[in-house]
């Protein structure tokens, strides 16, 4: 007697197999049922947690054909227990697994504010620790001449400074010229604030808004974008959108790399 399969579904109606993709941290996918799009931050037994560009978290079940990756249906699976070490740091440098932080150099890099320091740490932190370079921040560029005098730059203690809105003819440019020497280098980017050095697309906005003169720039940006008047929360939102050097404008990237090369130059 002839045996027949219990599955009577015609072959053309059966769902086509889809690729299985490991839910590695940082992988960006979309859950089609809700339209929620975000990066994987955690994958546990049966669930995956995504974070969108606004920092919102959602937990979804790991179901077959449950996600879209670059518009294509995939099945997310738990990654292997052995994590894959990144081959590059956030700055694009070759990663050195297991490298210990070097004893801090006498040389330093100063930046103009806490936000600048946090952004430099986010992208260049691994590199700076390996090189033993400490980053500190100024309360304002007006204090720079006194800081340089007290620091006393020399062949064994170079000083690099990153300044916001360093354009010809400004107060910042005059101060920079006054303190620059063989062992003290002052460079800057053209942006009013380091917020602007983050690419708008990375933040999820079409462009950085123009703020009229006389108005606090950060507050004006928040209002123009419809964000709450909380510049601290706005900065955390911006910083959270930076994952590597690709999220920053070249005008900032080149200046920070220049400073690191300067303070780590052989005596």
């Amino acid at each position: 007697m002839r045996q027949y399969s219990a599955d009577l579904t015609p072959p053309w109606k059966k769902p086509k197999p889809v690729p299985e993709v490991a839910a590695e941290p940082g992988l960006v996918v979309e859950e089609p049922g809700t339209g929620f799009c975000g990066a994987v931050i955690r994958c546990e037994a049966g669930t995956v947690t995504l974070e969108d560009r606004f920092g919102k978290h959602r937990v979804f079940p790991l179901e077959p054909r449950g996600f879209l990756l670059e518009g294509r249906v995939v099945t997310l699976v738990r990654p292997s227990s052995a994590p894959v070490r990144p081959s590059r740091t956030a700055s694009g440098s070759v990663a050195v697994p297991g490298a210990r932080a070097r004893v801090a150099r006498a040389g330093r890099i100063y930046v103009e504010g806490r936000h600048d320091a946090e952004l430099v740490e986010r992208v260049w932190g691994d590199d700076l620790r390996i090189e033993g370079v400490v980053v500190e921040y100024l309360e304002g560029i007006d204090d720079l001449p006194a800081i340089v005098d007290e620091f006393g730059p020399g062949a064994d203690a170079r000083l690099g400074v990153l300044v916001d809105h360093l354009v010809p003819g400004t107060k910042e440019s005059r101060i920079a010229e006054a303190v620059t020497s063989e062992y003290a280098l002052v460079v800057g980017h053209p942006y009013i604030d380091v917020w602007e050095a983050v690419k708008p697309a990375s933040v999820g906005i079409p462009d950085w808004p123009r703020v009229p003169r006389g108005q606090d720039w950060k507050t004006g940006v928040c209002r123009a974008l419809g964000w709450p008047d909380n510049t601290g929360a706005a900065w955390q939102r911006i910083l959270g959108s930076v994952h590597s050097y690709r999220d920053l404008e070249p005008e900032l990237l080149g200046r920070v790399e220049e400073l690191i090369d300067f303070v780590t130059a052989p005596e």
Side-chain angles (χ1 to χ4, degrees):
M1 181 172 160
R2 189 172 181 180
Q3 299 293 322
Y4 291 90
S5 169
D7 185 0
L8 300 179
T9 305
W12 60 87
K13 288 190 176 181
K14 292 182 179 180
K16 295 181 180 179
V18 300
E20 292 187 346
V21 178
E24 299 285 357
L27 180 73
V28 177
V29 296
E30 178 184 347
E31 200 285 317
T34 61
F36 188 89
C37 182
V40 173
I41 62 170
R42 189 181 307 110
C43 186
E44 299 170 330
T47 65
V48 61
T49 303
L50 305 182
E51 180 182 51
D52 71 7
R53 66 176 185 269
F54 304 116
K56 184 178 180 180
H57 292 185
R58 290 282 298 273
V59 179
F60 296 100
L62 286 175
E63 296 180 342
R65 308 173 63 87
F67 297 88
L68 298 178
L69 176 62
E70 297 180 350
R72 299 178 61 186
V73 178
V74 298
T75 297
L76 289 187
V77 296
R78 292 188 70 184
S80 61
S81 57
V84 178
R85 294 182 180 272
S87 59
R88 297 277 175 177
T89 67
S91 71
S93 301
V94 176
V96 184
R100 293 184 177 181
R102 177 175 174 170
V103 175
R105 296 173 180 266
R108 291 285 188 275
I109 291 178
Y110 276 85
V111 296
E112 202 167 341
R114 180 173 60 85
H115 292 179
D116 305 64
E118 291 177 348
L119 187 60
V120 170
E121 164 62 26
R122 173 64 63 95
V123 176
W124 289 274
D126 290 339
D127 309 61
L128 293 169
R129 281 183 282 278
I130 290 176
E131 295 291 349
V133 177
V134 174
V135 175
E136 300 183 23
Y137 63 87
L138 312 167
E139 293 297 335
I141 194 169
D142 292 336
D143 300 327
L144 185 56
I147 289 174
V148 174
D149 287 342
E150 182 179 355
F151 186 86
D156 60 344
R158 292 170 176 255
L159 179 63
V161 182
L162 178 69
V163 177
D164 295 340
H165 200 227
L166 188 61
V167 295
T170 61
K171 175 186 70 174
E172 290 82 0
S173 67
R174 291 190 291 271
I175 293 175
E177 291 172 3
V179 302
T180 297
S181 68
E182 182 180 1
Y183 302 116
L185 175 64
V186 181
V187 300
H189 55 74
Y191 306 112
I192 295 173
D193 189 275
V194 77
W195 288 19
E196 279 192 299
V198 180
K199 291 180 178 178
S202 297
V203 184
I205 59 177
D207 207 346
W208 288 106
R210 294 184 178 274
V211 177
R213 287 190 176 184
Q215 184 179 148
D216 179 73
W217 189 83
K218 292 177 180 176
T219 301
V221 166
C222 290
R223 291 174 179 173
L225 294 176
W227 296 352
D229 282 358
N230 184 333
T231 57
W235 170 242
Q236 291 306 313
R237 178 174 180 171
I238 295 165
L239 185 63
S241 70
V242 177
H243 304 289
S244 76
Y245 71 95
R246 296 183 180 88
D247 296 306
L248 302 182
E249 299 288 1
E251 289 82 356
L252 177 66
L253 292 172
R255 302 294 73 73
V256 175
E257 297 284 353
E258 185 179 357
L259 289 177
I260 295 174
D261 291 343
F262 179 77
V263 300
T264 58
E267 297 179 14

